[in-house]
Amino acid sequence: MSIKVYVPLDSGSVALGADDVATAIAKKAATNGADIKVVRNGSFGMYWLEPMVEVETPDGRVAYGPVAVEDIDGLFASDFLNGGEHALSLGKTQDIPFLKKQSRLTFQRCGVIDPVSLEDYRAHDGLTGLENALKLSDAEIVKSVTDSGLRGRGGAGFPTGIKWNTVREAPGDQKYIVCNADEGDSGTFADRMIMEGEPFVLIEGMIIAGLATGATKGYVYTRSEYPVAIRIMNEAIEVARAAGLLGDNVLGLGKVFNMEVRVGAGAYVCGEETSLLNSMEGKRGVVRAKPPLPALEGFLGRPTVVNNVISLCSVPVILEKGPEFYRDFGMGRSRGTIPIQIAGNVKYGGLYEIGFGLTLGEIVDHIGGGTATGRPVKAVQVGGPLGAYFPRELFDTPFDYEEFTKQNGLIGHAGVVVFDDTVDMMKQARFAMEFCAIESCGKCTPCRIGSIRGTEVVDKIERGEDPELQIELLRDLCETMKFGSLCALGGFTPYPVMSALNHFPDDFKPRALDIAAE
Ligand SMILES: Cc1cc2nc3c(=O)[nH]c(=O)nc-3n(C[C@H](O)[C@H](O)[C@H](O)COP(=O)(O)O)c2cc1C
Ligand code: SF4
């Protein structure tokens, strides 16, 4: 029988040379007459080890990484096809500490299986949640999701069960499930990683959402910058359709659910749910005023569930193992697990799924290993471009929605971006305003105009034009944007700006004066 060799197809791994590594391994095996099967799997999310190559041995999968094309001859010479020792040996995959210490519920099969093999998915307990859901009424499915405590992983943390119930109870003969896979937050990649590595869990979650709400059609809205995710999702949808998982008779039990992928051009604001719906309808990606809620009047004016990829991918395990099982992970009102994405200037960047409650310090210092440059950590931005910067003094904050709110921060899509002591926080504040100005949909004045005024005010501080007064103006402007903006783009831009100002006041100084002082 062929020896299975796993080389990730994940975009992050491909960017680090995985395609060339896969080709080189296949070529070398052909030259050596070795009988191998190269499986292109998803990533386990340990990006400092990518491309991580695994070999299936009678003792389990053993890993090597990070592998470059130049390492292939040496790996073959070390008999890596039989798990031989090599300088890049990482031991058994499942024993790698970064992976072993996680509680992988949502990402349990990501990296493990062949992403487009439904048999592989089933062999690893895939579809059990859906099979269980098919035995329940719509209200019972909603109850399970509500009881699990699952909250939206897209940013706002709204309880998923409550949203589903609104759509379930909404009148209408046509309802929709829209999966928000726009993933615009800086430093985040969980949606992409799971779509590339385990697309069937998203399909399963969306079908369950359809059964719970009466929606028969689903869309995955993602961005053109995610070509691999688009290809894998489309392939998986085709496989699911051919297998009778999608279509007019889901798993032969008479339920209807169809789905397709829609690709946007990649504007940050198109991740906002109403802007996303406009984009899907072929209109400009401008935010809609709420009410009406998308749950009542969403896609094409019909009741629509808009959920993040990770929210939907968390549903199958809830239906498989029960709401109590899921709810037992986490703390406070933040239940279940959260895939934390550790990025920026960090030694061990990657995805770490764990119950809510780890402190920020544990995430950055212990899991992330501190900065890649080896310099001290100065600030950590959590929750994407609209998230606050945390100084080391707040590193004992537990990863929990309410605890982060107490510190004027947010968890958002759980992206953690690390900066060392060379970062200039005034520049970061200006960047937040500039980002908002560029990405603003233009619908409301505090965001459209306020963000431009914000960059000008920071420039004035930098030039030393009455800096005290400008700082006062900046605070005032942030207040106006926070309370006067229609959506969170304008409303939350003050978070990075104000946290930079409040935690790092020494950085808000005229640069011209600094030069004069030197
Ligand atoms: C400017 C802006 C960008 C957003 N981008 C995303 C995104 O990329 N992905 C996402 O799931 N939610 C994003 N959201 C949140 C969505 O509006 C919405 O709350 C979410 O899709 C709901 O799904 P959930 O309840 O599963 O989190 C964004 C919100 C704003 C204001
Ligand atoms: S806050 Fe900005 S992005 Fe949101 S509606 Fe207003 S102008 Fe558009």
Side-chain angles (χ1 to χ4, degrees):
M1 213 171 78
S2 314
I3 297 172
K4 275 190 186 164
V5 179
Y6 293 86
V7 185
L9 53 67
D10 170 277
S11 299
S13 314
V14 168
L16 292 161
D19 282 350
D20 291 343
V21 167
T23 309
I25 290 175
K27 251 193 193 163
K28 182 76 182 171
T31 312
N32 288 9
D35 181 12
I36 68 161
K37 180 172 189 269
V38 175
V39 178
R40 302 303 304 271
N41 59 336
S43 172
F44 285 93
M46 299 179 283
Y47 281 107
W48 74 98
L49 296 177
E50 295 291 6
M52 189 176 91
V53 174
E54 292 171 279
V55 178
E56 196 158 82
T57 74
D59 277 350
R61 277 155 74 159
V62 292
Y64 301 84
V67 176
V69 170
E70 306 77 66
D71 300 317
I72 305 299
D73 284 351
L75 282 166
F76 273 87
S78 304
D79 196 21
F80 90 121
L81 290 180
N82 289 305
E85 270 302 309
H86 184 272
L88 298 177
S89 290
L90 300 166
K92 283 193 189 172
T93 310
Q94 63 189 37
D95 293 338
I96 298 174
F98 189 90
L99 207 52
K100 203 173 178 178
K101 290 186 192 151
Q102 297 185 40
S103 305
R104 287 204 163 204
L105 306 187
T106 308
F107 281 78
Q108 57 180 298
R109 305 173 198 89
C110 191
V112 178
I113 61 168
D114 175 346
V116 289
S117 165
L118 191 55
E119 296 77 55
D120 216 358
Y121 184 66
R122 270 188 185 276
H124 289 82
D125 297 327
L127 300 188
T128 317
L130 173 61
E131 281 159 1
N132 289 344
L134 281 161
K135 293 178 204 138
L136 302 175
S137 69
D138 55 356
E140 285 168 332
I141 302 173
V142 168
K143 186 172 183 321
S144 262
V145 173
T146 308
D147 290 350
S148 75
L150 178 66
R151 291 164 73 175
R153 304 293 192 234
F158 188 80
T160 307
I162 295 181
K163 188 182 282 186
W164 285 19
N165 204 42
T166 310
V167 176
R168 185 181 80 82
E169 288 180 341
D173 49 7
Q174 179 65 64
K175 300 178 186 180
Y176 297 104
I177 307 297
V178 172
C179 169
N180 188 344
D182 196 54
E183 196 161 55
D185 278 3
S186 40
T188 65
F189 45 86
D191 298 350
R192 177 189 60 67
M193 224 181 95
I194 206 157
M195 288 192 289
E196 291 175 352
E198 204 192 332
F200 291 116
V201 76
L202 178 56
I203 295 173
E204 185 179 355
M206 288 182 70
I207 301 172
I208 296 172
L211 296 174
T213 57
T216 52
K217 181 90 210 231
Y219 296 92
V220 177
Y221 178 93
T222 191
R223 51 179 55 231
S224 55
E225 286 104 326
Y226 276 6
V228 179
I230 295 164
R231 175 170 62 81
I232 298 292
M233 274 315 305
N234 276 323
E235 248 181 88
I237 288 171
E238 279 313 312
V239 170
R241 205 169 280 144
L245 179 58
L246 290 170
D248 296 338
N249 191 11
V250 173
L251 292 181
L253 290 166
K255 300 283 185 184
V256 181
F257 196 78
N258 291 293
M259 62 183 278
E260 64 184 81
V261 176
R262 288 286 178 94
V263 182
Y268 184 68
V269 78
C270 284
E272 192 283 332
E273 57 186 5
T274 61
S275 188
L276 182 156
L277 293 171
N278 274 338
S279 168
M280 274 186 43
E281 290 176 14
K283 299 173 184 150
R284 252 185 73 201
V286 176
V287 172
R288 298 178 186 171
K290 286 191 268 192
L293 290 172
L296 299 173
E297 285 180 44
F299 184 52
L300 303 173
R302 309 295 179 91
T304 304
V305 167
V306 182
N307 266 146
N308 174 252
V309 175
I310 303 302
S311 316
L312 290 161
C313 290
S314 303
V315 167
V317 72
I318 294 169
L319 270 296
E320 180 197 344
K321 301 215 161 133
E324 298 78 19
F325 168 82
Y326 191 78
R327 201 180 51 207
D328 279 352
F329 292 86
M331 68 172 278
R333 289 179 49 220
S334 305
R335 308 311 317 173
T337 59
I338 178 89
I340 302 168
Q341 298 129 85
I342 311 172
N345 185 347
V346 68
K347 205 164 171 189
Y348 304 123
L351 181 134
Y352 198 91
E353 182 180 351
I354 192 87
F356 284 92
L358 279 188
T359 66
L360 191 53
E362 282 171 311
I363 295 165
V364 173
D365 295 330
H366 300 158
I367 300 166
T371 62
T373 50
R375 300 184 66 92
V377 175
K378 175 166 171 179
V380 179
Q381 189 177 29
V382 183
L386 310 176
Y389 288 98
F390 283 72
R392 189 163 271 288
E393 296 77 67
L394 294 179
F395 272 19
D396 57 356
T397 310
F399 216 72
D400 163 275
Y401 291 109
E402 280 65 41
E403 293 294 331
F404 264 61
T405 307
K406 273 189 216 160
Q407 303 298 348
N408 289 319
L410 53 117
I411 281 186
H413 189 45
V416 171
V417 180
V418 181
F419 296 83
D420 75 12
D421 61 349
T422 59
V423 68
D424 178 339
M425 296 310 292
M426 187 167 82
K427 285 214 165 80
Q428 294 305 114
R430 188 192 190 281
F431 172 67
M433 286 292 190
E434 188 189 6
F435 179 82
C436 181
I438 293 169
E439 298 293 336
S440 170
C441 84
K443 182 140 175 165
C444 65
T445 317
C447 168
R448 187 183 68 243
I449 308 287
S451 54
I452 293 174
R453 291 293 93 88
T455 59
E456 293 167 355
V457 168
V458 179
D459 287 343
K460 283 183 184 167
I461 302 172
E462 187 171 358
R463 290 199 299 266
E465 293 177 27
D466 209 346
E468 301 284 304
L469 179 70
Q470 302 306 332
I471 287 176
E472 210 181 304
L473 259 177
L474 189 59
R475 289 186 187 278
D476 203 31
L477 190 58
C478 281
E479 199 69 1
T480 307
M481 288 175 71
K482 188 170 169 184
F483 295 106
S485 297
L486 184 60
C487 86
L489 180 45
F492 281 42
T493 293
Y495 282 76
V497 177
M498 291 304 295
S499 57
L501 187 53
N502 291 336
H503 298 309
F504 306 95
D506 291 350
D507 281 9
F508 286 73
K509 278 193 302 210
R511 296 305 139 91
L513 291 184
D514 274 358
I515 293 165
E518 275 169 10

